[in-house]
PDB file of all heavy atoms in Angstrom:
ATOM      1  N   PHE A 978       2.747  -1.007  23.820  1.00 88.00           N
ATOM      2  CA  PHE A 978       2.347  -2.312  24.355  1.00 88.00           C
ATOM      3  C   PHE A 978       1.998  -2.229  25.833  1.00 88.00           C
ATOM      4  O   PHE A 978       2.188  -3.196  26.572  1.00 88.00           O
ATOM      5  CB  PHE A 978       3.475  -3.338  24.150  1.00 88.00           C
ATOM      6  CG  PHE A 978       3.522  -3.936  22.775  1.00 88.00           C
ATOM      7  CD1 PHE A 978       4.185  -3.294  21.756  1.00 88.00           C
ATOM      8  CD2 PHE A 978       2.881  -5.132  22.492  1.00 88.00           C
ATOM      9  CE1 PHE A 978       4.245  -3.834  20.480  1.00 88.00           C
ATOM     10  CE2 PHE A 978       2.930  -5.685  21.227  1.00 88.00           C
ATOM     11  CZ  PHE A 978       3.605  -5.032  20.215  1.00 88.00           C
ATOM     12  N   GLU A 979       1.482  -1.087  26.282  1.00 86.00           N
ATOM     13  CA  GLU A 979       1.173  -0.914  27.700  1.00 86.00           C
ATOM     14  C   GLU A 979       0.059  -1.829  28.173  1.00 86.00           C
ATOM     15  O   GLU A 979       0.094  -2.364  29.271  1.00 86.00           O
ATOM     16  CB  GLU A 979       0.792   0.545  27.964  1.00 86.00           C
ATOM     17  CG  GLU A 979       1.967   1.498  27.991  1.00 86.00           C
ATOM     18  CD  GLU A 979       1.508   2.935  28.177  1.00 86.00           C
ATOM     19  OE1 GLU A 979       0.296   3.191  27.967  1.00 86.00           O
ATOM     20  OE2 GLU A 979       2.331   3.784  28.528  1.00 86.00           O
ATOM     21  N   SER A 980      -0.971  -2.002  27.361  1.00 85.00           N
ATOM     22  CA  SER A 980      -2.160  -2.720  27.818  1.00 85.00           C
ATOM     23  C   SER A 980      -1.906  -4.217  27.917  1.00 85.00           C
ATOM     24  O   SER A 980      -1.052  -4.775  27.235  1.00 85.00           O
ATOM     25  CB  SER A 980      -3.324  -2.461  26.851  1.00 85.00           C
ATOM     26  OG  SER A 980      -3.037  -3.002  25.583  1.00 85.00           O
ATOM     27  N   GLU A 981      -2.687  -4.857  28.754  1.00 87.00           N
ATOM     28  CA  GLU A 981      -2.574  -6.310  28.942  1.00 87.00           C
ATOM     29  C   GLU A 981      -3.337  -7.077  27.866  1.00 87.00           C
ATOM     30  O   GLU A 981      -3.012  -8.218  27.582  1.00 87.00           O
ATOM     31  CB  GLU A 981      -3.092  -6.704  30.332  1.00 87.00           C
ATOM     32  CG  GLU A 981      -2.267  -6.154  31.476  1.00 87.00           C
ATOM     33  CD  GLU A 981      -0.837  -6.691  31.459  1.00 87.00           C
ATOM     34  OE1 GLU A 981      -0.634  -7.852  31.052  1.00 87.00           O
ATOM     35  OE2 GLU A 981       0.074  -5.936  31.854  1.00 87.00           O
ATOM     36  N   SER A 982      -4.356  -6.467  27.318  1.00 87.00           N
ATOM     37  CA  SER A 982      -5.144  -7.121  26.275  1.00 87.00           C
ATOM     38  C   SER A 982      -4.952  -6.376  24.960  1.00 87.00           C
ATOM     39  O   SER A 982      -4.622  -5.185  24.949  1.00 87.00           O
ATOM     40  CB  SER A 982      -6.635  -7.131  26.653  1.00 87.00           C
ATOM     41  OG  SER A 982      -7.101  -5.810  26.853  1.00 87.00           O
ATOM     42  N   PRO A 983      -5.154  -7.053  23.858  1.00 88.00           N
ATOM     43  CA  PRO A 983      -4.918  -6.405  22.554  1.00 88.00           C
ATOM     44  C   PRO A 983      -5.897  -5.273  22.307  1.00 88.00           C
ATOM     45  O   PRO A 983      -7.095  -5.413  22.566  1.00 88.00           O
ATOM     46  CB  PRO A 983      -5.109  -7.548  21.545  1.00 88.00           C
ATOM     47  CG  PRO A 983      -5.943  -8.549  22.250  1.00 88.00           C
ATOM     48  CD  PRO A 983      -5.576  -8.457  23.699  1.00 88.00           C
ATOM     49  N   PRO A 984      -5.408  -4.140  21.804  1.00 86.00           N
ATOM     50  CA  PRO A 984      -6.312  -3.024  21.487  1.00 86.00           C
ATOM     51  C   PRO A 984      -7.076  -3.288  20.199  1.00 86.00           C
ATOM     52  O   PRO A 984      -6.756  -4.201  19.443  1.00 86.00           O
ATOM     53  CB  PRO A 984      -5.359  -1.834  21.325  1.00 86.00           C
ATOM     54  CG  PRO A 984      -4.079  -2.457  20.892  1.00 86.00           C
ATOM     55  CD  PRO A 984      -4.010  -3.815  21.551  1.00 86.00           C
ATOM     56  N   ASN A 985      -8.083  -2.488  19.965  1.00 84.00           N
ATOM     57  CA  ASN A 985      -8.874  -2.556  18.740  1.00 84.00           C
ATOM     58  C   ASN A 985      -8.616  -1.289  17.935  1.00 84.00           C
ATOM     59  O   ASN A 985      -9.058  -0.208  18.317  1.00 84.00           O
ATOM     60  CB  ASN A 985     -10.364  -2.692  19.056  1.00 84.00           C
ATOM     61  CG  ASN A 985     -10.695  -4.034  19.675  1.00 84.00           C
ATOM     62  OD1 ASN A 985     -10.955  -5.007  18.993  1.00 84.00           O
ATOM     63  ND2 ASN A 985     -10.669  -4.089  21.005  1.00 84.00           N
ATOM     64  N   ARG A 986      -7.903  -1.426  16.845  1.00 85.00           N
ATOM     65  CA  ARG A 986      -7.570  -0.265  16.022  1.00 85.00           C
ATOM     66  C   ARG A 986      -8.769   0.106  15.153  1.00 85.00           C
ATOM     67  O   ARG A 986      -9.312  -0.721  14.427  1.00 85.00           O
ATOM     68  CB  ARG A 986      -6.358  -0.579  15.147  1.00 85.00           C
ATOM     69  CG  ARG A 986      -6.025   0.520  14.139  1.00 85.00           C
ATOM     70  CD  ARG A 986      -4.728   0.248  13.419  1.00 85.00           C
ATOM     71  NE  ARG A 986      -4.756  -0.946  12.610  1.00 85.00           N
ATOM     72  CZ  ARG A 986      -5.185  -0.999  11.358  1.00 85.00           C
ATOM     73  NH1 ARG A 986      -5.647   0.090  10.771  1.00 85.00           N
ATOM     74  NH2 ARG A 986      -5.160  -2.136  10.681  1.00 85.00           N
ATOM     75  N   LEU A 987      -9.153   1.360  15.218  1.00 84.00           N
ATOM     76  CA  LEU A 987     -10.288   1.841  14.420  1.00 84.00           C
ATOM     77  C   LEU A 987      -9.863   2.015  12.972  1.00 84.00           C
ATOM     78  O   LEU A 987      -8.906   2.715  12.671  1.00 84.00           O
ATOM     79  CB  LEU A 987     -10.799   3.169  14.975  1.00 84.00           C
ATOM     80  CG  LEU A 987     -11.946   3.827  14.199  1.00 84.00           C
ATOM     81  CD1 LEU A 987     -13.200   2.962  14.267  1.00 84.00           C
ATOM     82  CD2 LEU A 987     -12.232   5.221  14.739  1.00 84.00           C
ATOM     83  N   VAL A 988     -10.560   1.340  12.079  1.00 86.00           N
ATOM     84  CA  VAL A 988     -10.330   1.502  10.646  1.00 86.00           C
ATOM     85  C   VAL A 988     -11.214   2.606  10.092  1.00 86.00           C
ATOM     86  O   VAL A 988     -10.756   3.497   9.365  1.00 86.00           O
ATOM     87  CB  VAL A 988     -10.592   0.181   9.897  1.00 86.00           C
ATOM     88  CG1 VAL A 988     -10.441   0.369   8.396  1.00 86.00           C
ATOM     89  CG2 VAL A 988      -9.668  -0.909  10.401  1.00 86.00           C
ATOM     90  N   ARG A 989     -12.469   2.561  10.468  1.00 86.00           N
ATOM     91  CA  ARG A 989     -13.440   3.545   9.992  1.00 86.00           C
ATOM     92  C   ARG A 989     -14.627   3.469  10.922  1.00 86.00           C
ATOM     93  O   ARG A 989     -15.066   2.367  11.280  1.00 86.00           O
ATOM     94  CB  ARG A 989     -13.845   3.212   8.556  1.00 86.00           C
ATOM     95  CG  ARG A 989     -14.512   4.295   7.811  1.00 86.00           C
ATOM     96  CD  ARG A 989     -14.564   3.991   6.313  1.00 86.00           C
ATOM     97  NE  ARG A 989     -14.934   2.639   5.989  1.00 86.00           N
ATOM     98  CZ  ARG A 989     -14.089   1.723   5.523  1.00 86.00           C
ATOM     99  NH1 ARG A 989     -12.829   2.033   5.345  1.00 86.00           N
ATOM    100  NH2 ARG A 989     -14.485   0.495   5.253  1.00 86.00           N
ATOM    101  N   GLY A 990     -15.134   4.617  11.380  1.00 82.00           N
ATOM    102  CA  GLY A 990     -16.217   4.550  12.350  1.00 82.00           C
ATOM    103  C   GLY A 990     -17.150   5.729  12.306  1.00 82.00           C
ATOM    104  O   GLY A 990     -16.884   6.748  11.676  1.00 82.00           O
ATOM    105  N   ARG A 991     -18.250   5.560  13.013  1.00 82.00           N
ATOM    106  CA  ARG A 991     -19.254   6.618  13.083  1.00 82.00           C
ATOM    107  C   ARG A 991     -18.786   7.770  13.972  1.00 82.00           C
ATOM    108  O   ARG A 991     -19.283   8.888  13.845  1.00 82.00           O
ATOM    109  CB  ARG A 991     -20.554   6.045  13.655  1.00 82.00           C
ATOM    110  CG  ARG A 991     -21.083   4.846  12.895  1.00 82.00           C
ATOM    111  CD  ARG A 991     -21.904   5.242  11.705  1.00 82.00           C
ATOM    112  NE  ARG A 991     -22.388   4.088  10.968  1.00 82.00           N
ATOM    113  CZ  ARG A 991     -23.320   4.154  10.035  1.00 82.00           C
ATOM    114  NH1 ARG A 991     -23.850   5.307   9.712  1.00 82.00           N
ATOM    115  NH2 ARG A 991     -23.697   3.080   9.392  1.00 82.00           N
ATOM    116  N   GLU A 992     -17.853   7.482  14.874  1.00 79.00           N
ATOM    117  CA  GLU A 992     -17.410   8.519  15.793  1.00 79.00           C
ATOM    118  C   GLU A 992     -16.601   9.592  15.074  1.00 79.00           C
ATOM    119  O   GLU A 992     -16.554  10.736  15.496  1.00 79.00           O
ATOM    120  CB  GLU A 992     -16.595   7.895  16.924  1.00 79.00           C
ATOM    121  CG  GLU A 992     -17.419   6.919  17.771  1.00 79.00           C
ATOM    122  CD  GLU A 992     -16.563   6.190  18.783  1.00 79.00           C
ATOM    123  OE1 GLU A 992     -15.335   6.422  18.785  1.00 79.00           O
ATOM    124  OE2 GLU A 992     -17.109   5.405  19.568  1.00 79.00           O
ATOM    125  N   ILE A 993     -15.912   9.217  13.997  1.00 82.00           N
ATOM    126  CA  ILE A 993     -15.173  10.198  13.203  1.00 82.00           C
ATOM    127  C   ILE A 993     -16.044  10.571  12.015  1.00 82.00           C
ATOM    128  O   ILE A 993     -16.094   9.874  11.008  1.00 82.00           O
ATOM    129  CB  ILE A 993     -13.817   9.622  12.745  1.00 82.00           C
ATOM    130  CG1 ILE A 993     -12.955   9.287  13.957  1.00 82.00           C
ATOM    131  CG2 ILE A 993     -13.088  10.596  11.842  1.00 82.00           C
ATOM    132  CD1 ILE A 993     -11.590   8.740  13.612  1.00 82.00           C
ATOM    133  N   ASN A 994     -16.772  11.652  12.167  1.00 81.00           N
ATOM    134  CA  ASN A 994     -17.771  12.014  11.162  1.00 81.00           C
ATOM    135  C   ASN A 994     -17.647  13.457  10.690  1.00 81.00           C
ATOM    136  O   ASN A 994     -18.550  13.975  10.041  1.00 81.00           O
ATOM    137  CB  ASN A 994     -19.177  11.768  11.718  1.00 81.00           C
ATOM    138  CG  ASN A 994     -19.363  12.424  13.078  1.00 81.00           C
ATOM    139  OD1 ASN A 994     -18.656  13.371  13.424  1.00 81.00           O
ATOM    140  ND2 ASN A 994     -20.313  11.917  13.843  1.00 81.00           N
ATOM    141  N   VAL A 995     -16.568  14.117  11.039  1.00 86.00           N
ATOM    142  CA  VAL A 995     -16.339  15.498  10.622  1.00 86.00           C
ATOM    143  C   VAL A 995     -14.992  15.572   9.924  1.00 86.00           C
ATOM    144  O   VAL A 995     -14.025  14.924  10.346  1.00 86.00           O
ATOM    145  CB  VAL A 995     -16.365  16.457  11.831  1.00 86.00           C
ATOM    146  CG1 VAL A 995     -16.080  17.890  11.387  1.00 86.00           C
ATOM    147  CG2 VAL A 995     -17.702  16.387  12.549  1.00 86.00           C
ATOM    148  N   VAL A 996     -14.914  16.334   8.853  1.00 90.00           N
ATOM    149  CA  VAL A 996     -13.661  16.479   8.122  1.00 90.00           C
ATOM    150  C   VAL A 996     -13.218  17.931   8.176  1.00 90.00           C
ATOM    151  O   VAL A 996     -14.041  18.853   8.107  1.00 90.00           O
ATOM    152  CB  VAL A 996     -13.797  16.002   6.659  1.00 90.00           C
ATOM    153  CG1 VAL A 996     -14.831  16.814   5.916  1.00 90.00           C
ATOM    154  CG2 VAL A 996     -12.454  16.057   5.942  1.00 90.00           C
ATOM    155  N   GLN A 997     -11.925  18.150   8.369  1.00 91.00           N
ATOM    156  CA  GLN A 997     -11.355  19.492   8.360  1.00 91.00           C
ATOM    157  C   GLN A 997     -10.098  19.484   7.494  1.00 91.00           C
ATOM    158  O   GLN A 997      -9.431  18.458   7.359  1.00 91.00           O
ATOM    159  CB  GLN A 997     -11.010  19.957   9.784  1.00 91.00           C
ATOM    160  CG  GLN A 997     -12.217  20.205  10.671  1.00 91.00           C
ATOM    161  CD  GLN A 997     -11.840  20.826  12.009  1.00 91.00           C
ATOM    162  OE1 GLN A 997     -10.704  21.227  12.218  1.00 91.00           O
ATOM    163  NE2 GLN A 997     -12.810  20.907  12.918  1.00 91.00           N
ATOM    164  N   TYR A 998      -9.780  20.651   6.950  1.00 94.00           N
ATOM    165  CA  TYR A 998      -8.589  20.813   6.126  1.00 94.00           C
ATOM    166  C   TYR A 998      -7.804  22.012   6.634  1.00 94.00           C
ATOM    167  O   TYR A 998      -8.386  23.024   7.052  1.00 94.00           O
ATOM    168  CB  TYR A 998      -8.971  21.040   4.657  1.00 94.00           C
ATOM    169  CG  TYR A 998      -9.875  19.976   4.082  1.00 94.00           C
ATOM    170  CD1 TYR A 998     -11.255  20.171   4.028  1.00 94.00           C
ATOM    171  CD2 TYR A 998      -9.360  18.781   3.601  1.00 94.00           C
ATOM    172  CE1 TYR A 998     -12.097  19.205   3.516  1.00 94.00           C
ATOM    173  CE2 TYR A 998     -10.192  17.812   3.074  1.00 94.00           C
ATOM    174  CZ  TYR A 998     -11.568  18.025   3.036  1.00 94.00           C
ATOM    175  OH  TYR A 998     -12.392  17.062   2.526  1.00 94.00           O
ATOM    176  N   GLY A 999      -6.480  21.893   6.613  1.00 94.00           N
ATOM    177  CA  GLY A 999      -5.656  22.995   7.075  1.00 94.00           C
ATOM    178  C   GLY A 999      -4.292  23.001   6.423  1.00 94.00           C
ATOM    179  O   GLY A 999      -3.857  22.006   5.830  1.00 94.00           O
ATOM    180  N   PHE A1000      -3.604  24.136   6.540  1.00 95.00           N
ATOM    181  CA  PHE A1000      -2.258  24.311   6.024  1.00 95.00           C
ATOM    182  C   PHE A1000      -1.404  24.904   7.133  1.00 95.00           C
ATOM    183  O   PHE A1000      -1.884  25.738   7.916  1.00 95.00           O
ATOM    184  CB  PHE A1000      -2.236  25.256   4.815  1.00 95.00           C
ATOM    185  CG  PHE A1000      -2.793  24.666   3.558  1.00 95.00           C
ATOM    186  CD1 PHE A1000      -4.155  24.484   3.391  1.00 95.00           C
ATOM    187  CD2 PHE A1000      -1.953  24.284   2.521  1.00 95.00           C
ATOM    188  CE1 PHE A1000      -4.676  23.949   2.225  1.00 95.00           C
ATOM    189  CE2 PHE A1000      -2.457  23.747   1.349  1.00 95.00           C
ATOM    190  CZ  PHE A1000      -3.821  23.579   1.203  1.00 95.00           C
ATOM    191  N   GLY A1001      -0.150  24.482   7.196  1.00 94.00           N
ATOM    192  CA  GLY A1001       0.762  25.036   8.174  1.00 94.00           C
ATOM    193  C   GLY A1001       2.136  25.246   7.575  1.00 94.00           C
ATOM    194  O   GLY A1001       2.633  24.393   6.828  1.00 94.00           O
ATOM    195  N   ASP A1002       2.758  26.384   7.903  1.00 93.00           N
ATOM    196  CA  ASP A1002       4.083  26.689   7.370  1.00 93.00           C
ATOM    197  C   ASP A1002       4.894  27.383   8.447  1.00 93.00           C
ATOM    198  O   ASP A1002       4.354  28.096   9.303  1.00 93.00           O
ATOM    199  CB  ASP A1002       3.969  27.585   6.134  1.00 93.00           C
ATOM    200  CG  ASP A1002       5.301  27.713   5.395  1.00 93.00           C
ATOM    201  OD1 ASP A1002       6.042  26.715   5.364  1.00 93.00           O
ATOM    202  OD2 ASP A1002       5.580  28.798   4.868  1.00 93.00           O
ATOM    203  N   ALA A1003       6.200  27.180   8.417  1.00 91.00           N
ATOM    204  CA  ALA A1003       7.090  27.782   9.398  1.00 91.00           C
ATOM    205  C   ALA A1003       8.307  28.343   8.687  1.00 91.00           C
ATOM    206  O   ALA A1003       8.910  27.665   7.846  1.00 91.00           O
ATOM    207  CB  ALA A1003       7.515  26.756  10.448  1.00 91.00           C
ATOM    208  N   ALA A1004       8.646  29.572   9.012  1.00 87.00           N
ATOM    209  CA  ALA A1004       9.867  30.199   8.513  1.00 87.00           C
ATOM    210  C   ALA A1004      10.894  30.215   9.630  1.00 87.00           C
ATOM    211  O   ALA A1004      10.647  29.715  10.742  1.00 87.00           O
ATOM    212  CB  ALA A1004       9.561  31.615   8.032  1.00 87.00           C
ATOM    213  N   LYS A1005      12.043  30.802   9.378  1.00 83.00           N
ATOM    214  CA  LYS A1005      13.088  30.855  10.390  1.00 83.00           C
ATOM    215  C   LYS A1005      12.668  31.718  11.567  1.00 83.00           C
ATOM    216  O   LYS A1005      12.999  31.428  12.723  1.00 83.00           O
ATOM    217  CB  LYS A1005      14.381  31.391   9.791  1.00 83.00           C
ATOM    218  CG  LYS A1005      15.552  31.453  10.772  1.00 83.00           C
ATOM    219  CD  LYS A1005      16.826  31.881  10.095  1.00 83.00           C
ATOM    220  CE  LYS A1005      17.968  32.006  11.095  1.00 83.00           C
ATOM    221  NZ  LYS A1005      18.272  30.717  11.744  1.00 83.00           N
ATOM    222  N   SER A1006      11.880  32.751  11.302  1.00 83.00           N
ATOM    223  CA  SER A1006      11.521  33.682  12.362  1.00 83.00           C
ATOM    224  C   SER A1006      10.118  33.478  12.913  1.00 83.00           C
ATOM    225  O   SER A1006       9.861  33.762  14.076  1.00 83.00           O
ATOM    226  CB  SER A1006      11.632  35.117  11.836  1.00 83.00           C
ATOM    227  OG  SER A1006      10.839  35.264  10.663  1.00 83.00           O
TER     228      SER A1006
END
Side-chain angles (χ1 to χ4, degrees):
F978 279 85
E979 284 177 344
S980 65
E981 295 297 327
S982 58
N985 292 273
R986 174 173 64 86
L987 177 65
V988 176
R989 196 166 44 253
R991 305 276 179 167
E992 297 173 358
I993 298 181
N994 51 23
V995 178
V996 61
Q997 292 187 9
Y998 306 97
F1000 287 74
D1002 191 36
K1005 181 175 177 62
S1006 55

